Amino acid sequence: MRYFNTRRTVRRYTDAQVPEELLSEMIAAAAQAPNTGNMQLYSVVVTRTAEGKARLAPAHFNQPSATSSGSVLLTFCADFNRFEHWCKVGDASTGYDNFQAFSWAVIDASIFAQQFCAIAEMNGLGCCYLGTTTYNAPEIARVLSLPSRVVPVTTIAVGYPVDDDTPMSDRLPLEAIMHKEVYRDFSDDDIRRIYALKESLDENRRFVAENGKQTLAQVYTDVRYTREANEHFSRLYLDFITSCGFKLPE
Amino acid sequence: MRYFNTRRTVRRYTDAQVPEELLSEMIAAAAQAPNTGNMQLYSVVVTRTAEGKARLAPAHFNQPSATSSGSVLLTFCADFNRFEHWCKVGDASTGYDNFQAFSWAVIDASIFAQQFCAIAEMNGLGCCYLGTTTYNAPEIARVLSLPSRVVPVTTIAVGYPVDDDTPMSDRLPLEAIMHKEVYRDFSDDDIRRIYALKESLDENRRFVAENGKQTLAQVYTDVRYTREANEHFSRLYLDFITSCGFKLPE
């Protein structure tokens, strides 16, 4: 418990390379994580060459954890390509071109990714998720030569941490995220209490000031995750998912 | 690594109750897992009373891990209710009624769930995911009094394992799930080789025979995950997601 309590996201890596054998062992161990009906509806593409990373990094807006010479990039995908190929070889008629099937694969890919993250961190490596994966999935698919029926879901950058005392991220108190028996909705006062620590942190006060905003929430809505960007990337992602053969019900 | 390599899903639990304090500690530790922009777009509803479980279990088709007297059920949800309430209190105008925002929350909830699973298993508990959550989300939401903007994503049953030598689940060889630099698509022979072990297992041969099928793939497509059920539950889940205020682009 103590270990998990104190984990932190690592965005800066030494030049030491992650050994290929260790990486394979960690991925194999992560695949022992649970998945839907043991269909293993996921795959991971490992990008470790300088050339490969140079081609992939722009899709992640060239964030430092993607361009660092010490990081390996793991793109975790929702994958029906392999499973349906098996069904075809086994003379089985599939019905997985729908949102339910896509949902299983997204959940499975995320669980697989997080099990990898936990294993890597326990082996002394540092990890950073790249949330940009759902923004630029079409470009990522092109760079990684993903076949149809394979949708990128999330990416982990992994490498040996520069020992720079990265602070732990703040988290909301337990009452914010855990409900007993039924969901207990919040009053305005509950919300103020729950977010008080987060809003009081120096780093967050600085964000508010630097961005010329009144509140930290406005930094999220007006700067970091705006309606315009969210709607643009929603359309891109959903069009791509549809083009990969996951139809939405009429 | 050795630990993660040998984990197994546990569906039968002793009558020993999971201590409430331990459960809270594990949930708090799991929340230190990574999430999108530190928005923590998830919540978990804990069902541990006999009455609560009796109300919830039918939504999971009364599978034994849901009805066992020793299991606690944790419903992990994609949650914009709390975050948007905070934005409202902070006079911030949100743009999270879209598929991109929903995707972040689904991935975050899945990562949170899996970190909980890893922690619970390291504490001697056994876990089982209930994939029925995406089937019967509307019913689950009703039983748990989920407000709008909260969508159930997955459920974990957790309890102390009956020491019954549950076998580990088989997994595909690494070449099936890991690709180097680019996705290397499979030939029919690759597929046969990759799935050879799975198809040869006694348990899977029995499934094929019991269901009167020719191949294991047909058990998946014709019995376990049929087109008819997948399309039915796709419509149900997507309608529910839309009713929770996540619009799909036109």
Side-chain angles (χ1 to χ4, degrees), chain B residues 56-225:
Chain B
L56 190 54
H60 297 294
F61 304 134
N62 292 308
Q63 52 189 295
S65 41
T67 56
S68 161
S69 64
S71 69
V72 178
L73 302 182
L74 304 185
T75 307
F76 290 88
C77 305
D79 188 336
F80 266 93
N81 174 62
R82 185 193 61 239
F83 188 75
E84 287 185 335
H85 193 156
W86 176 59
C87 290
K88 193 175 150 206
V89 167
D91 203 19
S93 173
T94 59
Y96 305 123
D97 52 353
N98 46 61
F99 186 71
Q100 187 66 225
F102 177 71
S103 297
W104 309 333
V106 167
I107 295 168
D108 285 4
S110 303
I111 287 173
F112 177 40
Q114 181 50 30
Q115 191 81 327
F116 173 85
C117 177
I119 293 169
E121 289 177 346
M122 293 182 80
N123 277 275
L125 290 151
C127 294
C128 177
Y129 275 88
L130 310 184
T132 31
T133 313
T134 55
Y135 289 180
N136 294 318
E139 175 62 7
I140 293 168
R142 193 188 63 75
V143 169
L144 302 181
S145 303
L146 303 184
S148 184
R149 310 293 287 141
V150 181
V151 178
V153 171
T154 192
T155 303
I156 293 178
V158 58
Y160 288 99
V162 172
D163 192 10
D164 61 352
D165 298 329
T166 316
M168 279 174 60
S169 294
D170 63 284
R171 290 293 186 264
L172 299 174
L174 197 57
E175 63 165 319
I177 59 165
M178 185 178 83
H179 301 265
K180 294 182 178 178
E181 301 299 323
V182 292
Y183 194 106
R184 194 184 57 79
D185 209 350
F186 306 96
S187 68
D188 289 1
D189 281 344
D190 291 335
I191 290 289
R192 286 189 195 96
R193 183 182 65 251
I194 284 168
Y195 283 86
L197 171 66
K198 188 192 229 11
E199 293 182 334
S200 74
L201 298 175
D202 282 348
E203 185 193 354
N204 288 335
R205 287 174 179 276
R206 205 170 51 241
F207 277 144
V208 175
E210 282 174 2
N211 287 291
K213 295 292 165 188
Q214 260 78 54
T215 66
L216 183 60
Q218 290 173 353
V219 177
Y220 278 96
T221 59
D222 301 356
V223 183
R224 294 190 65 186
Y225 301 98

Side-chain angles (χ1 to χ4, degrees), chain A residues 7 31-33 44 46 48 79 85-86 90 100 114-115 134 171 177 179 181 183 188 199 215 218 220, chain B residues 7 31-33 37 44 46 48 79 85-86 90-91 100 114-115 134 171 177 179 181 183 188 199 215:
Chain A
R7 73 155 294 283
Q32 201 59 43
V44 58
V46 178
R48 56 185 305 148
D79 188 336
H85 193 155
W86 176 60
Q100 186 66 225
Q114 180 51 29
Q115 191 81 327
T134 54
R171 290 292 185 266
I177 58 165
H179 301 265
E181 301 299 324
Y183 194 107
D188 290 1
E199 293 182 334
T215 65
Q218 289 173 354
Y220 278 96
Chain B
R7 73 154 295 282
Q32 200 59 43
V44 58
V46 178
R48 59 184 301 149
D79 188 336
H85 193 156
W86 176 59
D91 203 19
Q100 187 66 225
Q114 181 50 30
Q115 191 81 327
T134 55
R171 290 293 186 264
I177 59 165
H179 301 265
E181 301 299 323
Y183 194 106
D188 289 1
E199 293 182 334
T215 66

Side-chain angles (χ1 to χ4, degrees), chain A residues 43-63:
Chain A
S43 55
V44 58
V45 184
V46 178
T47 307
R48 56 185 305 148
T49 64
E51 304 73 46
K53 284 171 63 187
R55 294 198 308 143
L56 189 55
H60 296 294
F61 304 134
N62 292 309
Q63 52 189 296

Side-chain angles (χ1 to χ4, degrees), chain A:
Chain A
M1 198 93 77
R2 206 166 296 147
Y3 164 76
F4 289 97
N5 266 330
T6 57
R7 73 155 294 283
R8 56 199 74 210
T9 290
V10 171
R11 295 186 175 79
R12 293 179 57 215
Y13 315 96
T14 69
D15 286 336
Q17 299 300 300
V18 183
E20 204 161 337
E21 196 183 323
L22 175 63
L23 195 68
S24 295
E25 280 175 18
M26 292 190 299
I27 290 171
Q32 201 59 43
N35 71 80
T36 304
N38 207 10
M39 291 184 276
Q40 296 191 251
L41 302 169
Y42 52 68
S43 55
V44 58
V45 184
V46 178
T47 307
R48 56 185 305 148
T49 64
E51 304 73 46
K53 284 171 63 187
R55 294 198 308 143
L56 189 55
H60 296 294
F61 304 134
N62 292 309
Q63 52 189 296
S65 41
T67 57
S68 162
S69 63
S71 69
V72 178
L73 303 182
L74 304 184
T75 307
F76 291 88
C77 304
D79 188 336
F80 267 93
N81 174 62
R82 185 194 59 240
F83 188 75
E84 287 184 337
H85 193 155
W86 176 60
C87 290
K88 194 175 147 206
V89 168
D91 202 18
S93 173
T94 60
Y96 305 122
D97 52 352
N98 46 60
F99 186 71
Q100 186 66 225
F102 178 71
S103 297
W104 308 334
V106 167
I107 295 168
D108 285 3
S110 303
I111 286 173
F112 176 40
Q114 180 51 29
Q115 191 81 327
F116 173 85
C117 178
I119 292 169
E121 290 177 346
M122 292 182 81
N123 276 276
L125 290 150
C127 294
C128 176
Y129 275 88
L130 310 184
T132 33
T133 312
T134 54
Y135 289 180
N136 294 317
E139 176 63 5
I140 293 168
R142 194 188 61 76
V143 170
L144 303 181
S145 302
L146 303 183
S148 182
R149 310 291 288 140
V150 180
V151 177
V153 171
T154 192
T155 303
I156 293 179
V158 58
Y160 288 100
V162 172
D163 193 6
D164 62 351
D165 298 331
T166 316
M168 278 174 60
S169 293
D170 62 284
R171 290 292 185 266
L172 299 174
L174 197 57
E175 63 166 318
I177 58 165
M178 185 178 83
H179 301 265
K180 294 180 179 177
E181 301 299 324
V182 292
Y183 194 107
R184 195 186 53 80
D185 209 350
F186 306 97
S187 69
D188 290 1
D189 281 344
D190 291 334
I191 290 290
R192 287 189 193 96
R193 181 182 68 251
I194 284 168
Y195 282 87
L197 171 67
K198 187 191 234 1
E199 293 182 334
S200 74
L201 299 175
D202 283 349
E203 183 194 355
N204 287 335
R205 287 174 179 277
R206 206 170 52 240
F207 277 145
V208 177
E210 281 173 3
N211 287 292
K213 294 293 165 189
Q214 260 79 55
T215 65
L216 182 62
Q218 289 173 354
V219 177
Y220 278 96
T221 58
D222 302 356
V223 182
R224 295 190 65 185
Y225 301 98
T226 65
R227 171 173 291 283
E228 193 185 357
N230 299 340
E231 290 183 351
H232 170 71
F233 289 120
S234 289
R235 210 164 297 119
L236 256 184
Y237 198 39
L238 208 48
D239 282 353
F240 180 72
I241 291 164
T242 310
S243 80
C244 288
F246 297 101
K247 287 178 280 184
L248 302 181
E250 306 286 298

